[in-house]
Amino acid sequence: MGSDHAVERIVKKEILSCTPDTTVLEAARQMAQKRFSSIIVVEDGRPVGIWTERDALAIDFDRPDSFSRPIAAVMSHPIKTIHHKTSIGDTGLRFQMEGVRHFVVVDDAGHPLGIVSQSDVILRHGVEHFLVLRNVRSGLARPMVAIAGDCSLKRAVAQLNAARTDAAVVLPVDGGEPGIITERDLVRVIGAGGAVPAHVDEIASRPLVCISEDDSMLSARNLLEERQIRHVAVRNAEGKLTGLLSFSDILSSLQYEYVQRLDEALRERDEALLRSRKDLYLARKVIEASLDGIMICTPQGLIEFVNPAFSQLTGYSFEEVFGKNPNILKSGRHDEEFYKRMWATLGHEGVWQGEVWNRRKTGEIYPEWLTINVIRDDEGQISQYAAVFSDITERKKAEERIKNLAYFDVLTGLPNRRLFTDRLHMAIANAHRHDQRLAIMFLDLDLFKRINDTLGHGVGDLVLVESSKRLGQCVREGDTVARLGGDEFVILLPELDHIEDAAKLAERVISQVKAPFVIDEHELYVTTSVGIAVYPDDGQTVEQLIKNADTAMYRAKDLGRNSYQLYTSAMNARSFERLAMESSLRHALSRNEFTLVYQGKVDLVSGRLSGVEALVRWRHPDMGMVSPAEFIPLAENMGLIGDIGAWVLKAACRQCKSWHDLGLPPVRIAVNVSALQFREGDVPAIVEEALLESGLPPHYLELELTESVLMQRVEEVAQVLRELRQMGVHISIDDFGTGYSSLSYLKRMPIDALKIDRSFVHDLLDEGKVADGEGAEIVSTIINLAHNLRLRAVAEGVETQEQAEFLRARGCDEIQGFLVSRPVSGEDLVSLFDRNLLPPEPG
């Protein structure tokens, strides 16, 4: 019996029980009569407590009336239980960890099936092979407790409690033989009723059963079992008492990794057989206890012995296989050459070890780890073959799971970066060998982060799973679709006849991905950008191809997304330039490389300066002034736009306040807020901080937003704008007419002005003159719309007097552009405050 067998196999089905009102005396009498070490207290058919011999130590023997107390008052509760399917080995461990000697064994419903004690585990645990290797001395973990025979019973109990032991040696007062007192003796005293003995010597058990400390633990266990006692005294070589050994001590000494010791015994078996045939009996016992299947065959290869584990693993009994060839277990998975190599190794080295697939009696094929040893007699002739095997089904499953974790993406089930790289290595080698081309396609989902941020990662994961399925439907059987991480995928086309084939596949992929996703009642639209690199034209190594496909993909994004691009060397140069700019941009703020320039706005009625727009510039130490058109999108992609935007806002407020402090005519300063900054930052908090730091009154600050900001999460945006309006800040819509203009949001949002985009103003001119064409109609319509909504109309990009006169005639309120002033520094703008920048409106 091994430690993996369930405790239900060794449980004592007979349970000694009583009701809660049973007296301690009556409970002890029943235990003494039946020689039970515990009694279960049952109420309404369910166990509510337990009273054991250990609990007898808590009784006050100076007060016999305590014997009349109901058992419910002294019982232990709640009851320590153990499930009937718990292994015997784990049961032994729980005895040690919880410091108890009894468990009530319960079924799935919690009903008691019986009792299991420490002694049951020791006697029926199947560990003789281990106990025989340990001597009694190794099990003495505590010093021996000795009590004088004339000691009162109460003092004796106190000594047992103080030493936390269940037994003690009783030393006679007249020089006679020593005895022993145990918890069971105390139960017997309680159960007998009547007067309590005056001295402990009166109840001590004699003679004291002894064993030598050099004897094996197995001998001690057998002695305890034969005498039906639970303690044996230990003497040293000089005959002196050195301790008491109990079942608890034996259990504590057990090492529950004894299976490993068993394996050591098995490996040593061959040497034992060579030394003496007399050890065969011991070897047989070890084999029978093994958890591994063991089969011994004759020199002719016929089975002459199998152990119980063999029958458990294969389903064949000893009678069914005795005298037969082991090939009855063959699965058919190994050819004859496999077995020839096995026998050749056995003949040459005397041992063979490896993985084998065999067949159970049921027909099920399973993997096993098999070791075959050649056993020779004293003359060197083969006397037997010994095979030891273990079922490694679970290990194989674990290896497969580990392999999947190592090589496949957990979310989508697609190959991951490692497996894709391995396949690309092999594809490159094959293409080189056969002078072929291959292609890889690098792609990611456009604006996927918006789905995660808006609807959560759960919906985002479902989009990734559905995208992986769609990609798989686009490719051929020999192609590979892999997920590198996040929303990045890559496709390997290992055999490419024409570059056009890769382009066609890219078109199919783009078409499949952009079809609507319906997830959790959300209809989502996703697009993808694809970059293509071809071997050997665009790279001859894994790293070059992946890098160049990635570069091509970013080029597709730069050109508007939802498209594909083939790699060119120019892209590579652009990629290096982008990397250099990213590195510099990351430190530009801390190095004070940003500066502001200012462009004035002019009131078309008075012709004087009415406002100023702050524009950020990056003064790069090597590249000089970098246009916002280049670094603002880069800052948004890098997550830096929030910090840069906050700096611009604070610097602009400080500059405007400094103009006011100089006594100049007060003007309102306008600051652009990007869509990403508005969506991801707390704009009201940032604005409030900038106003407090600078001291600028809120009504002198104007925030310019694009239409795209207003169209996203309309209710949330409206609430933010209302907060800004309550602070006194003005709001204008920049580049009006170029986005998704909608009267509905204009009516719902607290807006102060519409800024007419420069492209419409530019279209006013035809050969240098203002013409009443489509451009003029659009500009006039926007001005009328603004005034109907009680908003100011501001025109950007005004460069000529003719444009200004047209706008003035149509009722435009303010203009901004090179006609008024180019963007200049704060100091240079001072000269514009007191000037008439345009002739005033006649009349």
Side-chain angles (χ1 to χ4, degrees):
M1 184 180 299
S3 64
D4 60 338
H5 291 163
V7 73
E8 64 184 352
R9 296 195 178 196
I10 65 171
V11 67
K12 288 180 180 176
K13 299 294 179 68
E14 184 181 357
I15 301 177
L16 186 61
S17 63
C18 67
T19 62
D21 56 359
T22 303
T23 65
V24 173
L25 186 149
E26 179 57 31
R29 179 178 292 126
Q30 292 184 43
M31 290 169 60
Q33 287 174 351
K34 292 186 174 289
R35 297 181 64 82
F36 272 51
S37 58
S38 63
I39 187 167
I40 304 299
V41 184
V42 178
E43 184 175 25
D44 297 330
R46 297 188 69 84
V48 295
I50 186 171
W51 195 73
T52 70
E53 292 172 344
R54 161 66 62 174
D55 295 320
L57 292 176
I59 300 297
D60 187 349
F61 284 88
D62 276 359
R63 295 180 55 193
D65 58 321
S66 63
F67 299 174
S68 302
R69 297 178 67 188
I71 197 71
V74 295
M75 68 183 181
S76 297
H77 62 89
I79 292 178
K80 295 287 188 178
T81 62
I82 196 164
H83 192 267
H84 66 115
K85 291 299 184 183
T86 304
S87 72
I88 297 175
D90 286 345
T91 303
L93 286 173
R94 281 195 58 190
F95 273 129
Q96 286 185 265
M97 290 188 294
E98 299 190 26
V100 297
R101 295 207 296 267
H102 302 83
F103 283 119
V104 175
V105 181
V106 296
D107 60 14
D108 294 335
H111 296 131
L113 300 176
I115 295 285
V116 65
S117 66
Q118 288 182 342
S119 55
D120 296 325
V121 173
I122 298 298
L123 293 174
R124 309 177 71 182
H125 191 241
V127 292
E128 291 83 354
H129 59 278
F130 183 78
L131 294 177
V132 76
L133 301 175
R134 303 286 300 276
N135 60 28
V136 169
R137 185 188 304 106
S138 67
L140 296 178
R142 295 172 296 182
M144 182 181 73
V145 177
I147 301 175
D150 57 358
C151 179
S152 69
L153 198 57
K154 181 175 182 179
R155 286 186 58 195
V157 170
Q159 286 186 251
L160 290 174
N161 276 322
R164 302 179 65 85
T165 185
D166 57 351
V169 172
V170 177
L171 302 176
V173 295
D174 56 1
E177 286 295 318
I180 185 172
I181 180 173
T182 68
E183 295 166 350
R184 178 159 292 183
D185 296 320
L186 300 177
V187 172
R188 200 162 52 244
V189 170
I190 297 170
V196 174
H199 302 112
V200 71
D201 199 55
E202 297 177 40
I203 65 169
S205 300
R206 291 185 175 85
L208 183 61
V209 180
C210 298
I211 192 170
S212 169
E213 65 181 9
D214 293 320
D215 285 342
S216 70
M217 293 281 267
L218 181 61
S219 298
R221 193 207 71 171
N222 291 341
L223 181 60
L224 292 170
E225 184 177 13
E226 290 167 6
R227 297 293 188 93
Q228 294 189 349
I229 57 179
R230 288 186 298 171
H231 300 81
V232 61
V234 180
R235 293 185 184 274
N236 61 17
E238 289 76 31
K240 181 182 177 182
L241 287 174
T242 58
L244 291 175
L245 184 74
S246 68
F247 277 116
S248 296
D249 297 323
I250 296 175
L251 184 62
S252 297
S253 70
L254 277 176
Q255 303 295 320
Y256 286 95
E257 59 270 18
Y258 73 91
V259 173
Q260 297 178 357
R261 295 294 301 271
L262 173 61
D263 291 337
E264 294 174 9
L266 285 173
R267 288 195 297 271
E268 294 169 359
R269 182 200 52 203
D270 291 350
E271 297 176 9
L273 287 171
L274 292 173
R275 286 194 303 267
S276 173
R277 286 181 176 272
K278 290 185 297 184
D279 293 337
L280 181 59
Y281 175 76
L282 177 60
R284 276 184 177 272
K285 287 299 181 182
V286 172
I287 290 170
E288 288 173 359
S290 174
L291 301 178
D292 292 337
I294 297 176
M295 174 176 62
I296 298 177
C297 296
T298 66
Q300 293 75 35
L302 302 179
I303 299 172
E304 65 176 6
F305 173 84
V306 295
N307 71 339
F310 172 95
S311 299
Q312 185 179 2
L313 293 172
T314 67
Y316 288 103
S317 67
F318 171 70
E319 291 74 19
E320 289 175 308
V321 298
F322 178 73
K324 294 185 179 178
N325 193 296
N327 61 16
I328 62 172
L329 303 174
K330 276 188 177 181
S331 65
R333 286 202 177 188
H334 306 289
D335 55 20
E336 288 303 316
E337 188 59 33
F338 173 84
Y339 293 103
K340 285 181 181 178
R341 292 195 300 270
M342 174 193 291
W343 283 106
T345 302
L346 272 173
H348 183 258
E349 300 180 11
V351 63
W352 182 91
Q353 189 175 64
E355 184 181 302
V356 175
W357 288 82
N358 272 342
R359 187 186 303 274
R360 307 189 207 274
K361 184 180 177 180
T362 60
E364 177 192 357
I365 296 175
Y366 70 101
E368 65 182 32
W369 186 258
L370 173 63
T371 301
I372 304 175
N373 284 282
V374 177
I375 302 174
R376 299 181 182 273
D377 58 21
D378 295 339
E379 285 75 35
Q381 300 299 314
I382 296 176
S383 60
Q384 278 122 349
Y385 293 99
V388 181
F389 65 92
S390 58
D391 186 342
I392 58 172
T393 301
E394 291 305 317
R395 192 180 86 186
K396 296 288 285 185
K397 289 179 180 178
E399 289 174 352
E400 186 63 26
R401 287 194 294 269
I402 292 171
K403 179 182 177 182
N404 285 339
L405 288 173
Y407 290 100
F408 291 89
D409 175 54
V410 176
L411 177 63
T412 63
L414 294 176
N416 62 12
R417 182 183 294 271
R418 178 182 293 180
L419 182 54
F420 174 78
T421 301
D422 289 347
R423 290 185 180 178
L424 182 53
H425 270 296
M426 290 188 290
I428 289 174
N430 185 68
H432 176 73
R433 188 163 49 250
H434 297 96
D435 196 22
Q436 294 177 331
R437 285 180 169 180
L438 65 83
I440 67 167
M441 301 170 57
F442 200 104
L443 59 104
D444 76 358
L445 306 181
D446 299 325
L447 304 177
F448 175 74
K449 185 176 182 295
R450 181 181 299 172
I451 293 176
N452 272 343
D453 292 344
T454 306
L455 301 177
H457 290 276
V459 173
D461 286 348
L462 293 176
V463 170
L464 293 174
V465 171
E466 177 60 26
S467 299
S468 69
K469 292 177 182 177
R470 295 185 183 184
L471 295 178
Q473 294 167 358
C474 294
V475 299
R476 305 166 301 183
E477 184 176 354
D479 301 337
T480 294
V481 179
R483 180 185 177 214
L484 301 187
D487 62 331
E488 292 183 338
F489 297 85
V490 65
I491 299 175
L492 168 62
L493 287 68
E495 295 179 4
L496 187 69
D497 295 327
H498 305 286
I499 295 179
E500 291 79 8
D501 295 338
K504 291 176 182 176
L505 175 59
E507 291 175 348
R508 283 203 307 274
V509 165
I510 292 169
S511 176
Q512 284 282 343
V513 171
K514 75 178 181 182
F517 293 78
V518 180
I519 294 174
D520 290 348
E521 300 181 356
H522 299 287
E523 186 171 81
L524 306 174
Y525 292 87
V526 178
T527 60
T528 184
S529 300
V530 182
I532 304 171
V534 176
Y535 172 90
D537 309 56
D538 301 328
Q540 300 184 19
T541 66
V542 168
E543 293 76 14
Q544 287 175 336
L545 288 171
I546 292 177
K547 178 173 70 71
N548 291 343
D550 186 30
T551 300
M553 184 269 291
Y554 274 106
R555 178 61 175 164
K557 282 188 176 295
D558 291 343
L559 294 177
R561 300 187 174 95
N562 195 34
S563 64
Y564 71 88
Q565 286 290 313
L566 291 162
Y567 173 79
T568 66
S569 57
M571 290 181 198
N572 200 24
R574 179 180 176 84
S575 177
F576 278 115
E577 180 183 336
R578 179 190 179 97
L579 285 174
M581 186 174 288
E582 283 183 0
S583 178
S584 297
L585 185 59
R586 201 173 297 279
H587 304 288
L589 200 57
S590 63
R591 294 171 179 169
N592 297 318
E593 292 176 1
F594 290 112
T595 187
L596 293 184
V597 293
Y598 304 90
Q599 188 172 39
K601 300 177 186 178
V602 170
D603 184 282
L604 281 175
V605 175
S606 66
R608 299 181 71 83
L609 195 69
S610 59
V612 177
E613 181 177 0
L615 302 169
V616 65
R617 296 291 187 266
W618 178 19
R619 189 184 293 107
H620 191 280
D622 299 320
M623 294 184 284
M625 281 293 187
V626 182
S627 167
E630 290 188 61
F631 72 82
I632 291 296
L634 194 59
E636 290 180 334
N637 289 335
M638 296 171 64
L640 300 176
I641 193 63
D643 293 337
I644 296 174
W647 179 89
V648 169
L649 187 61
K650 292 178 180 180
C653 289
R654 286 195 301 268
Q655 179 63 71
C656 189
K657 182 63 167 62
S658 71
W659 288 328
H660 292 185
D661 293 343
L662 290 174
L664 298 174
V667 295
R668 187 180 298 121
I669 192 159
V671 178
N672 286 282
V673 178
S674 77
L676 189 64
Q677 182 184 1
F678 194 88
R679 186 168 65 246
E680 296 184 354
D682 187 350
V683 174
I686 297 170
V687 168
E688 184 176 17
E689 184 179 356
L691 292 172
L692 285 173
E693 285 184 6
S694 64
L696 181 70
H699 61 276
Y700 286 116
L701 174 63
E702 182 172 12
L703 299 183
E704 296 189 358
L705 310 174
T706 61
E707 290 175 285
S708 61
V709 174
L710 307 183
M711 297 299 290
Q712 299 172 11
R713 298 182 292 185
V714 175
E715 290 302 328
E716 295 179 33
V717 170
Q719 178 59 35
V720 173
L721 295 185
R722 283 192 287 269
E723 291 181 33
L724 293 168
R725 169 59 65 82
Q726 289 171 1
M727 294 167 60
V729 175
H730 288 247
I731 307 294
S732 64
I733 307 303
D734 197 15
D735 302 334
F736 183 79
T738 60
Y740 302 96
S741 302
S742 170
L743 288 176
S744 64
Y745 81 72
L746 289 177
K747 290 191 297 182
R748 294 169 64 183
M749 303 289 182
I751 301 168
D752 298 285
L754 299 181
K755 294 191 71 176
I756 304 167
D757 186 68
R758 67 183 63 249
S759 62
F760 300 138
V761 174
H762 180 270
D763 289 345
L764 292 175
L765 295 175
D766 184 9
E767 296 181 358
K769 296 181 179 180
V770 176
D772 289 331
E774 182 178 334
E777 292 179 4
I778 292 174
V779 170
S780 299
T781 300
I782 295 175
I783 295 171
N784 290 334
L785 174 63
H787 290 165
N788 289 334
L789 293 173
R790 296 183 176 85
L791 306 177
R792 288 182 295 113
V794 183
E796 294 183 288
V798 178
E799 298 180 359
T800 68
Q801 189 66 39
E802 290 80 6
Q803 291 171 330
E805 292 303 328
F806 175 88
L807 292 165
R808 175 185 281 169
R810 294 301 189 273
C812 186
D813 299 290
E814 294 176 298
I815 64 169
Q816 175 182 349
F818 288 175
L819 177 64
V820 177
S821 168
R822 291 180 176 273
V824 296
S825 67
E827 294 78 8
D828 291 342
L829 192 72
V830 171
S831 63
L832 303 181
F833 275 86
D834 294 321
R835 292 168 50 189
N836 284 329
L837 302 174
L838 287 176
E841 185 177 9

